[in-house]
């Protein structure tokens, strides 16, 4: 902390101290065997040391707490607290004392004073105390500006101030990845890394979705009807360690059928992260609104609402296709089914599906069979809009596992 003190002699003294949690006192135990020259001397000294635990003197941790000896580190999301004291060091009464505390950041100047009214008088050896709090929301250089103005007995108005400069560091590194499912579901993977030098207790990591989505956390495993965290019972994040959190977002029912709206939604929500460090020192971060790349469905979106996981070789099976008009115009659609080397469609190709309004959809049951074993891709569908004479082809719509119902020799 840098302090620039005015050279003029003043009747009042200003002292500023940062308020932080204490730390556990540690000592370095020194031991030896009884046959060594010191004998039991080291043991006696440790038993007489008031900082050691009785009966466990060789442990480094003691029963005492240590107040911070320096300014320490301040991390984004923590609450900066400071004690400000103005003491009358003179032998005369001082009047109209006004104490102001401002915090200057790279973008703004904040007034942290609890009261902006002046104190009428301050007698010798008396003081004015104040405690300020501020949740740090910016990284980089911060300057605490403490200013004091007062009037002497002779009516002279005096003024001085002190500057306390400190750096706000970044505690966490947050990276996000989005995965768009075949349906309108969106999966969010959040990677959170502790980039401080001390462990963190992760109290809460949650996703606050935007107004169009509901969110489901996928960070618990159900065992014996109880949900257990995938990270275990003790949710500690060691320095430089990283965790992955997974969330599933589904459109709310009132928006799920509006394909045009969901298609253009890029704002997903924001992460809310709460942690604790030394002796319960609490910190909280909220990310800005997370945005994804809008999926490119084109004018028509074709997806599968129903498809079996496993089917038998050369046996027909049913699927249900969902065709959604993502454009802003009405379409008149014709469906063509084209066979591939492994996939064969059952039914009439080139049938009329009728008109489809903007944002509307239709469910279409189809029958198909596979002539090749293994993992096969459902392909070969073609939609034509007769209004604009525009054709849309769909390959690799989904995959299905084809097995032989007989023994390997019979197949």
């Amino acid at each position: 902390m840098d302090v620039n003190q005015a050279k003029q002699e003043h009747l009042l003294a200003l002292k500023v101290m940062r308020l932080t949690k204490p730390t556990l006192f540690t000592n370095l135990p020194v031991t030896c065997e009884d046959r060594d020259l010191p004998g039991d001397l080291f043991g006696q000294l440790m038993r007489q040391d008031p900082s050691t635990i009785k009966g466990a003197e060789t442990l480094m941790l003691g029963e005492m707490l240590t107040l911070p000896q320096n300014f320490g580190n301040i991390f984004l999301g923590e609450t900066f607290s400071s004690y400000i004291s103005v003491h009358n060091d003179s032998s005369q009464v001082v009047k109209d004392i006004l104490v102001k505390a401002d915090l200057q950041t790279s973008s703004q100047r904040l007034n942290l004073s609890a009261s902006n009214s002046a104190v009428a008088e301050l007698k010798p050896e008396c003081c004015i105390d104040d405690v300020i709090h501020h949740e740090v929301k910016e990284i980089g250089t911060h300057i605490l500006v403490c200013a004091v103005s007062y009037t002497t007995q002779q009516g002279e108005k005096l003024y001085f101030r002190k500057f306390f400069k400190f750096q706000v560091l970044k505690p966490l590194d947050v990276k996000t990845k989005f995965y768009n499912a075949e349906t309108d579901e969106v999966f969010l993977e959040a990677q959170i890394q502790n980039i401080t030098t001390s462990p963190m207790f992760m109290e809460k990591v949650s996703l606050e979705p935007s107004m169009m989505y509901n969110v489901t956390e996928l960070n618990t495993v159900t065992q014996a009807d109880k949900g257990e965290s995938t990270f275990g019972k003790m949710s500690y994040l060691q320095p430089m360690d990283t965790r992955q959190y997974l969330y599933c977002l589904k459109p709310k029912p009132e928006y799920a059928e509006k394909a045009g709206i969901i298609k253009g939604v890029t704002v997903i929500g924001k992460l809310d992260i709460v942690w604790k460090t030394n002796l319960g020192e609490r910190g909280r971060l909220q990310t800005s609104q997370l945005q994804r790349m809008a999926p490119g469905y084109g004018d028509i979106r074709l997806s599968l609402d129903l498809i079996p996981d496993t089917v038998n070789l050369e046996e027909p099976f049913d699927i249900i296709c969902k065709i959604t008009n993502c454009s802003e115009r009405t379409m008149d659609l014709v469906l063509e089914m084209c066979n591939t080397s492994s996939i064969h469609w059952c039914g009439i190709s080139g049938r009329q599906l009728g008109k489809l309004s903007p944002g509307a959809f239709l469910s279409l049951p189809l029958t198909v069979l596979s002539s090749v074993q293994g993992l096969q891709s459902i392909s070969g569908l073609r939609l034509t809009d007769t209004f604009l004479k525009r054709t849309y082809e769909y390959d690799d719509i989904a995959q299905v596992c084809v097995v032989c119902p007989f023994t390997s020799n019979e197949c």
Side-chain angles (χ1 to χ4, degrees):
M1 182 182 291
D2 296 332
V3 179
N4 297 326
Q5 188 171 3
K7 295 182 179 179
Q8 181 182 359
E9 292 293 333
H10 286 276
L11 305 179
L12 303 180
L14 171 66
K15 295 187 179 297
V16 178
M17 181 179 69
R18 183 192 172 196
L19 299 178
T20 59
K21 297 282 187 180
T23 57
L24 292 172
F25 178 80
T26 58
N27 53 47
L28 186 61
V30 180
T31 60
C32 65
E33 296 184 3
D34 294 339
R35 61 184 180 181
D36 291 336
L37 183 61
D40 192 40
L41 177 62
F42 293 149
Q44 293 179 6
L45 293 175
M46 287 191 294
R47 286 190 292 270
Q48 296 171 4
D49 189 345
S51 65
T52 59
I53 301 176
K54 302 303 178 185
E57 290 82 6
T58 55
L59 290 178
M60 291 186 65
L61 288 179
E63 296 180 321
M64 293 187 176
L65 299 176
T66 304
L67 292 176
Q69 303 300 309
N70 50 42
F71 191 77
N73 294 324
I74 298 181
F75 294 100
L76 184 69
E78 292 183 343
T79 299
F80 169 71
S81 301
S82 184
Y83 168 71
I84 300 175
S85 178
V86 177
H87 187 267
N88 188 352
D89 289 344
S90 68
S91 58
Q92 57 179 289
V93 177
V94 179
K95 298 181 179 180
D96 300 329
I97 306 98
L98 181 62
V99 183
K100 286 187 63 179
D102 294 337
L103 187 63
Q104 178 70 54
T105 70
S106 58
S107 63
Q108 58 184 334
R109 186 173 182 131
L110 304 169
N111 181 20
L112 304 183
S113 301
S115 174
N116 292 322
S117 59
V119 178
E121 66 175 24
L122 186 64
K123 296 180 180 180
E125 301 302 324
C126 293
C127 61
I128 300 173
D129 300 322
D130 190 15
V131 176
I132 58 175
H133 303 280
H134 173 67
E135 185 178 346
V136 181
K137 298 180 179 180
E138 296 181 41
I139 60 175
T141 303
H142 287 56
I143 301 176
L144 179 63
V145 183
C146 298
V148 180
S149 61
Y150 61 96
T151 305
T152 65
Q153 284 184 340
Q154 293 77 24
E156 182 182 6
K157 294 184 177 181
L158 298 178
Y159 170 86
F160 69 94
R161 60 181 180 174
K162 289 185 177 181
F163 300 89
F164 303 86
K165 185 177 179 181
F166 59 91
Q167 295 289 331
V168 175
L169 307 177
K170 185 179 177 182
L172 299 171
D173 185 30
V174 181
K175 297 178 181 178
T176 57
K177 296 180 181 178
F178 287 102
Y179 305 92
N180 296 312
E182 285 294 330
T183 59
D184 289 323
E185 294 179 345
V186 180
F187 291 89
L188 168 66
E189 177 191 351
Q191 298 181 1
I192 300 177
Q193 182 181 25
N194 176 10
I195 56 177
T196 69
T197 57
S198 59
M200 288 182 176
F201 173 75
M202 305 304 292
E203 184 175 303
K204 183 182 74 168
V205 180
S206 62
L207 176 64
E208 297 179 1
S210 61
M211 61 177 294
M212 294 187 181
Y213 285 96
N214 292 320
V215 64
T216 302
E217 293 192 12
L218 304 179
N219 305 309
T220 56
V221 178
T222 302
Q223 293 183 352
D225 297 331
K226 292 183 179 180
E228 296 184 4
S229 172
T230 55
F231 307 111
K233 295 181 179 180
M234 305 302 290
S235 186
Y236 284 99
L237 191 59
Q238 297 295 335
M240 304 312 296
D241 279 2
T242 302
R243 279 185 179 175
Q244 286 83 22
Y245 294 85
L246 186 62
Y247 304 90
C248 176
L249 296 108
K250 296 182 179 180
K252 293 182 178 178
E254 57 267 32
Y255 300 107
E257 305 302 333
K258 300 178 181 179
I261 296 178
I262 293 298
K263 173 187 174 182
V265 173
T266 58
V267 176
I268 297 301
K270 56 185 178 180
L271 287 170
D272 187 14
I273 307 170
V274 181
W275 71 90
K276 290 182 179 178
T277 54
N278 180 39
L279 290 181
E281 193 86 35
R282 195 169 183 264
R284 181 184 181 186
L285 277 181
Q286 277 192 334
T287 65
S288 56
Q289 289 288 346
L290 303 176
Q291 294 189 343
R292 62 160 181 167
M293 292 291 292
Y297 297 143
D299 291 340
I300 305 177
R301 180 186 179 190
L302 189 147
S303 59
L304 292 186
D305 277 354
L306 177 66
I307 182 172
D309 295 329
T310 304
V311 297
N312 291 331
L313 180 68
E314 296 182 349
E315 287 187 9
F317 59 93
D318 296 327
I319 63 174
I320 296 180
C321 293
K322 181 179 179 181
I323 301 173
T324 307
N325 184 355
C326 298
S327 70
E328 298 179 355
R329 55 185 173 81
T330 301
M331 295 183 175
D332 186 21
L333 299 177
V334 175
L335 174 66
E336 297 179 74
M337 300 181 293
C338 306
N339 294 334
T340 66
S341 59
S342 59
I343 296 296
H344 305 273
W345 297 95
C346 304
I348 301 175
S349 179
R351 60 171 164 162
Q352 292 279 347
L353 300 182
K355 295 180 180 180
L356 194 62
S357 302
F361 71 93
L362 61 88
S363 294
L364 185 65
L366 297 173
T367 303
V368 62
L369 65 85
S370 175
S371 59
V372 179
Q373 294 186 71
L375 193 62
Q376 302 298 325
S377 295
I378 305 297
S379 303
L381 290 181
R382 182 185 301 162
L383 290 170
T384 301
D385 180 13
T386 59
F387 286 158
L388 295 182
K389 307 299 181 182
R390 189 174 295 174
T391 301
Y392 307 88
E393 295 186 358
Y394 298 92
D395 293 321
D396 297 327
I397 305 169
Q399 291 183 324
V400 64
C401 182
V402 182
V403 298
C404 180
F406 311 105
T407 62
S408 58
N409 292 333
E410 292 174 328
C411 286

